[in-house]
Amino acid sequence: MVTKLDELELMTNEEKLTLLATLLEETEVPEPDFWPQPAGSKSAAGDPRTDLRFELLGPLVIRPADADVEADVAPSAPKLRLILATLLFNANKPVGASALIRELWGENAPRTANSTLQTYIFKLRKLFQAVLGTSVEHITHEVLLTCSGGYTLRVDAQQLDITEFDQLVTSGTAAMRAGDYESAAEKLRRSLALWRGSVVHQGQWGTCLRAQVARLEERRFYAHTTRIDADLCLGRHREMISELASLVVEHPLHESAHVMLMIALHRAGRASAALEVYMRFRQRMLHELGIEPSERIKALHVALLSADPVLMDLSLTSEMLLDRLAQPGLVRARENSPAVTGV
């Protein structure tokens, strides 16, 4: 063991990291069933973890529950933020050291990767200790735990915005299926309000985090379009037109957004504009993908041409409306109607 400062100065960075890792391992204590709180430590019903709010729907933010809304105690170092984000996306589940190393360095991990990772974990524990005002032992055994081959970050569901988002989207979807469009719109609107922007990171995301972010962004888009659908069922077609017009510009090949814009325009008395949306969408599909729109959206086009009364049925979501319009017998009847054939 190095005992003199001059010996420490002669060590390489790799040797210093290895030494630090050894010291951390030597100070690790067996995990007890219960770790007593030190005198004067912060406690919320015996668990200071609940004093924090973790937000991933935008740039990573950690807010003390009793602090100003703008407070953020998340680390600024990109690699510490990446480790923390990986642990939060897998909250309450073990994350292997090898998985964290892949997120940090990909296939180009240095020889000192394991000891460097242990140093980062040590820094995160010190951060939690400072913010929560509790002992390092409590942090080690109740907050950021060492498990077999990796680490687990313990977080209550109400502390994590991605958990709240998923729960609201799930309950909003259930309300939508039950025909409770008011409740669906309200829950989905609340879920979208949790987002502060795109999920971003200063450095390079690892493979697992990219997959998690892609899932979240897709679920966000689903919540957005489903909330608009609920609003259409509530008769808010005029209010939805500008939002849908923006959405089709951002997603020029997304069928559902175009469908809802056509429905909203038709219900607002702008039938010609609804037909123009279809023609532009068809031309874009042919030009960029070389394919025709789906049979369902073609059936909607035919219904628009004939001003089918079913288009005004507010009890039908856009998917339910397309399903009804695409029934083979009804499609043939509309195609042969005078409004379509011009006879």
Side-chain angles (χ1 to χ4, degrees), residues 299-300 303 308 310-311 321-327 330-331 334:
L300 174 60
D308 194 315
V310 75
L311 294 170
L321 180 59
L322 288 180
D323 287 342
R324 180 169 297 187
L325 292 173
Q327 293 176 22
L330 294 177
V331 171
R334 291 189 189 93

Side-chain angles (χ1 to χ4, degrees), residues 202-258:
Q202 294 169 317
Q204 180 66 45
W205 288 110
T207 303
C208 292
L209 278 182
R210 286 200 304 271
Q212 292 278 13
V213 171
R215 182 196 72 82
L216 269 180
E217 291 288 357
E218 183 62 29
R219 195 151 168 80
R220 180 189 189 183
F221 184 76
Y222 166 81
H224 189 185
T225 54
T226 306
R227 193 227 82 220
I228 294 175
D229 211 0
D231 280 326
L232 289 178
C233 290
L234 293 168
R236 299 167 183 159
H237 35 270
R238 288 184 177 83
E239 297 91 327
M240 293 301 105
I241 289 174
S242 60
E243 190 173 355
L244 283 165
S246 175
L247 201 60
V248 299
V249 171
E250 294 174 15
H251 304 274
L253 296 175
H254 197 280
E255 183 175 287
S256 294
H258 286 79

Side-chain angles (χ1 to χ4, degrees), residues 118-308:
Q118 290 175 341
T119 303
Y120 290 149
I121 295 295
F122 173 77
K123 289 180 178 180
L124 287 177
R125 283 174 171 157
K126 294 296 288 183
L127 169 68
F128 285 127
Q129 180 190 10
V131 172
L132 295 175
T134 187
S135 68
V136 68
E137 290 84 0
H138 183 87
I139 300 300
T140 301
H141 301 299
E142 297 296 337
V143 181
L144 181 49
L145 290 68
T146 299
C147 59
S148 178
Y151 305 93
T152 300
L153 181 59
R154 292 179 58 194
V155 177
D156 289 339
Q158 67 270 21
Q159 292 178 266
L160 193 56
D161 63 350
I162 56 174
T163 303
E164 184 180 356
F165 171 73
D166 274 329
Q167 290 173 343
L168 284 168
V169 174
T170 298
S171 59
T173 300
M176 195 75 177
R177 289 173 179 163
D180 187 354
Y181 302 130
E182 192 71 59
S183 176
E186 186 269 335
K187 285 180 167 57
L188 293 169
R189 192 171 285 108
R190 283 169 52 200
S191 77
L192 294 167
L194 293 171
W195 286 76
R196 295 169 288 108
S198 298
V199 180
V200 295
H201 177 59
Q202 294 169 317
Q204 180 66 45
W205 288 110
T207 303
C208 292
L209 278 182
R210 286 200 304 271
Q212 292 278 13
V213 171
R215 182 196 72 82
L216 269 180
E217 291 288 357
E218 183 62 29
R219 195 151 168 80
R220 180 189 189 183
F221 184 76
Y222 166 81
H224 189 185
T225 54
T226 306
R227 193 227 82 220
I228 294 175
D229 211 0
D231 280 326
L232 289 178
C233 290
L234 293 168
R236 299 167 183 159
H237 35 270
R238 288 184 177 83
E239 297 91 327
M240 293 301 105
I241 289 174
S242 60
E243 190 173 355
L244 283 165
S246 175
L247 201 60
V248 299
V249 171
E250 294 174 15
H251 304 274
L253 296 175
H254 197 280
E255 183 175 287
S256 294
H258 286 79
V259 165
M260 288 189 290
L261 179 55
M262 284 185 267
I263 293 171
L265 287 167
H266 177 82
R267 289 178 180 173
R270 298 171 59 184
S272 59
L275 291 169
E276 287 175 10
V277 170
Y278 172 79
M279 294 307 297
R280 287 198 302 270
F281 179 65
R282 180 175 181 270
Q283 289 168 2
R284 189 175 290 114
M285 291 282 287
L286 289 170
H287 177 71
E288 297 188 24
L289 301 179
I291 60 175
E292 288 276 355
S294 71
E295 293 302 317
R296 282 154 48 95
I297 199 168
K298 286 182 179 179
L300 174 60
H301 177 231
V302 172
L304 289 168
L305 288 170
S306 62
D308 194 315

